[in-house]
Every structure is written in C-alpha cells, then in structure tokens.
Amino acid sequence: MERKDTLRELIQNCLAAFSSPDASPTIQSRSLIPFALTSTRDARGDAVSLLVEKMVHSKLPHWSAYILAYDFVDIYAEKLHTGRDSFSDNQIIDASNWCKDLRECFAQYLKKIVDGSHKLPPLLDEWKAALPVSFCYQKNRKPKMEDRHLILPSLAVVEPNFSVSHKNANREDAFFAVFDGHNGAECATYASAHLAECLFDSLEQTSDDVEQVLSIAFERLDKRITEKCTSEKIKSGTTVSCVYLKGTRTAFLAWCGDSSIGVLRNAGVVTLSTPHKPEDQEEMRRIEEAGGMVVSIHGVPRLNGVLNLSRSLGDIQAKPMVSSEPDIKRVELSAEDHALFKIDF
C-alpha cells in the first residue's frame, strides 16, 4: 500500500472521530471544553493545538497532523478567526460555541479530503522522510495531566511557504518542546499552543542569531501568558524545555525551569541543561534582590516557601522573584548521539 493511501485511511478514521455527534476536539487529558474563552489573537494556536492533539490520538503522525491543521485554519480563517492577528487585536470569543464550530468545520474539511474535492496539502505528497520522533507521558498520582509537548519535525509544517532566505533557519529545521505544568494545566496548555507562533514571529523579526530568536520567542510567550493569567486570574505556571534542531548536528537548547534536556550517548544519558532551582546560589541571590526569599519546607528549598523552582512561565503571583528568562546554549551533536530528548523529573 502506498504511503498516500495509508494516510488517506488514517484521515478517514480521524473523520469518524470528528463526525460523531458527541465528538469534541479534546482527548481525555482535557475537560470537555478546554477553556472558557479564546480570542482573535489566540484562536489560531488554540485551534491547531486542539486539532493536532485529537488527530494524533487518532493515530495520525505529528507531521501530517500539523500540516492538515495549518492548512485548515488558513482555509477557515474568516469563520473561525484563525488568521494571523496582531498582538494588539484581541477580541474575546466564547469558546463553547467556537469549539463546536471548530469540530464541525474540521469534519467538513476532512470529508472533502476523503471524497477528493480538496487535495491533500502539497507537502504531504512531497514529504520523503519525516524526522523519526517518539514521545510518552504519564500522569502519575496527579488528578489531571498537567504536562504538554510540542513536536515540529520541520518548520515547514507550521508555515508551508516558509522562506529559505532566513540566514539561520530553513524549512528542514526542527523544533521540540516539553512543558511541565504545575498548580493546573492552563499555562502549559497555552504555552504548547502558542510557542510555535512566537517562534515564527521572532524569526521574522531577527534571523541572524538563533539564540536571539529563542530569547525573543520566550519573551513574547511570557508577555502573552502573563496577560492571560492576569485577565483570567490563572494561578498556574509551567516550565519550558525546547530544542531547535538545525540540520542533524547542531542543536540550540533553551530552558526555563527544572525540566531537563539530555542526549542519549553511548547507551548512557548525558544531561545538557542545568535546572533552575531556588537553592542555586546565583538564583538565590537574584530572588533576594527581587524582594523574595528561599525557605526550606520539609527539607526542600522553595521560593517564598512555595515554588521548588526559580524560573517558569506564568506563576504571576510570584513575579518578579520567579524569572521567565531562559538559559540558551548551542550544542554540536556527534554521530554517536542517537536521540535528543527532554526529561520531566
């Protein structure tokens, strides 16, 4: 069976999931309606995140799920408010009705692909070998899953017309991220849905330095999360650990919090990042200069006696003591480095 035929079968199975009268673009890790409100600024990222999560749950590969989702949000941009709106254009949308429209429109979109009236996005036909990626997650004893991830095996899945003229970015670059949510999943969910958009906005602003691109992307994302947490009184937070993979040998790592990034090398794990913890002397000095303190609770050093990490996105009640500034480093991978991955301890 040809790859295209296999993909069409997977899309047909996915259509059944979206066509059910009780279908919702969510999976068991989220509530029936994952958020009460969205906005014209956030609708694009929210739609892609919800649809990809559902499609991957229906066994579609990540790369094809993202390509279909972005093709869809461009086609239905006017109806679903999923165009590329500026940061200042932020009109509130009732998510309950919007999620229903999203499901119905996406079911129509998949039907058109299945019956041949809408062609598969060109990149699906042109794709020769997507970067092999695997992932797993475990809820442990938490009542709800609070962690999220972002898998972009090529920047072209986000923007098919992505220009190769960027000095330090091209269509074949890959991007991966893990978000360890705490005190709720809101910030991790939002970050996983909108980091890619912030990354592309940053690439459009400056592409001379990948480290600067990542720094600006984090700054943009933190601004948006802070605004959302403030307006909706959200108290949660999230760590972020991400890898911008350029080619097959150059990796740019960026992390904020205590989720680690490592590489599998010679059958062993080599940790490449340093966790941001309150007991670190530099972090403790920064916290105290910002007006906070580090208190040991049952032997665990905590920022203001609460957080056991010193950097994160969200956690607005702990700002400015908790920082959203990431550490960024460049790593050259060797032929023995078989896999790059993030570890959520």
Side-chain angles (χ1 to χ4, degrees):
M1 182 178 292
E2 294 185 1
R3 185 175 186 178
K4 186 189 299 185
D5 294 332
T6 303
L7 183 58
R8 285 188 182 278
E9 283 192 2
L10 291 173
I11 291 174
Q12 193 159 9
N13 293 336
C14 188
L15 172 60
F18 278 92
S19 298
S20 169
D22 298 324
S24 172
T26 59
I27 61 174
Q28 63 268 27
S29 63
R30 301 190 184 183
S31 58
L32 183 61
I33 299 175
F35 36 76
L37 301 172
T38 187
S39 66
T40 53
R41 182 195 64 200
D42 294 338
R44 182 180 181 87
D46 286 342
V48 169
S49 179
L50 289 170
L51 295 175
V52 167
E53 191 171 9
K54 182 69 173 180
M55 283 188 280
V56 170
H57 188 61
S58 299
K59 309 304 182 185
L60 259 74
H62 271 86
W63 60 269
S64 57
Y66 273 106
I67 292 171
L68 291 171
Y70 278 106
D71 182 54
F72 165 78
V73 295
D74 285 338
I75 293 173
Y76 288 84
E78 184 175 354
K79 180 177 178 60
L80 297 173
H81 309 284
T82 51
R84 295 182 178 275
D85 292 290
S86 65
F87 182 82
S88 59
D89 183 13
N90 192 29
Q91 301 177 22
I92 300 301
I93 301 172
D94 181 351
S96 58
N97 292 327
W98 180 82
C99 282
K100 180 181 177 182
D101 292 340
L102 177 67
R103 176 186 63 80
E104 293 175 350
C105 289
F106 194 66
Q108 294 172 7
Y109 170 81
L110 293 179
K111 286 179 182 177
K112 291 179 180 179
I113 290 180
V114 171
D115 65 24
S117 59
H118 180 72
K119 293 183 179 180
L120 286 171
L123 194 60
L124 291 175
D125 292 336
E126 298 169 3
W127 202 282
K128 300 301 180 183
L131 187 68
V133 177
S134 62
F135 70 96
C136 66
Y137 51 85
Q138 185 175 356
K139 183 171 68 69
N140 292 326
R141 291 175 291 180
K142 296 179 181 179
K144 293 183 179 180
M145 183 62 175
E146 296 180 340
D147 302 341
R148 299 288 185 266
H149 60 269
L150 175 64
I151 298 176
L152 300 176
S154 164
L155 295 186
V157 303
V158 181
E159 179 51 70
N161 298 319
F162 184 60
S163 173
V164 295
S165 64
H166 287 292
K167 295 180 181 179
N168 268 321
N170 57 58
R171 293 164 59 92
E172 287 71 36
D173 291 352
F175 187 77
F176 310 96
V178 161
F179 310 85
D180 179 10
H182 49 266
N183 197 29
E186 297 93 342
C187 287
T189 299
Y190 188 91
S192 65
H194 299 285
L195 178 55
E197 181 182 347
C198 292
L199 178 69
F200 267 77
D201 288 344
S202 180
L203 282 169
E204 292 175 0
Q205 180 176 338
T206 173
S207 59
D208 295 336
D209 185 342
V210 175
E211 294 184 18
Q212 185 181 9
V213 166
L214 290 171
S215 179
I216 293 174
F218 268 73
E219 183 179 348
R220 287 175 178 268
L221 182 61
D222 179 60
K223 181 179 180 181
R224 292 175 62 164
I225 287 181
T226 298
E227 182 184 273
K228 185 175 182 67
C229 289
T230 302
S231 63
E232 299 183 24
K233 297 180 173 56
I234 294 172
K235 303 297 184 181
S236 65
T238 184
T239 70
V240 184
S241 293
C242 62
V243 177
Y244 187 116
L245 186 60
K246 185 172 179 59
T248 58
R249 290 289 176 261
T250 303
F252 293 88
L253 319 180
W255 68 96
C256 177
D258 58 356
S259 295
S260 299
I261 305 174
V263 64
L264 183 63
R265 180 177 295 162
N266 297 327
V269 176
V270 179
T271 301
L272 302 176
S273 60
T274 303
H276 298 133
K277 305 294 284 186
E279 61 266 31
D280 179 84
Q281 291 301 311
E282 286 298 315
E283 292 295 288
M284 185 181 297
R285 178 188 58 79
R286 181 187 57 75
I287 291 169
E288 292 174 348
E289 289 179 353
M293 64 179 67
V294 177
V295 180
S296 182
I297 305 295
H298 301 299
V300 179
R302 295 181 179 272
L303 190 158
N304 289 350
V306 179
L307 295 174
N308 67 343
L309 74 171
S310 55
R311 301 192 196 186
S312 67
L313 299 182
D315 290 314
I316 60 172
Q317 69 277 9
K319 289 182 178 293
M321 288 76 72
V322 63
S323 171
S324 59
E325 181 179 354
D327 277 345
I328 302 173
K329 68 188 295 186
R330 173 175 175 163
V331 175
E332 295 298 329
L333 305 176
S334 67
E336 290 76 30
D337 296 335
H338 299 292
L340 191 68
F341 58 93
K342 275 67 67 179
I343 312 168
D344 173 21
F345 292 110

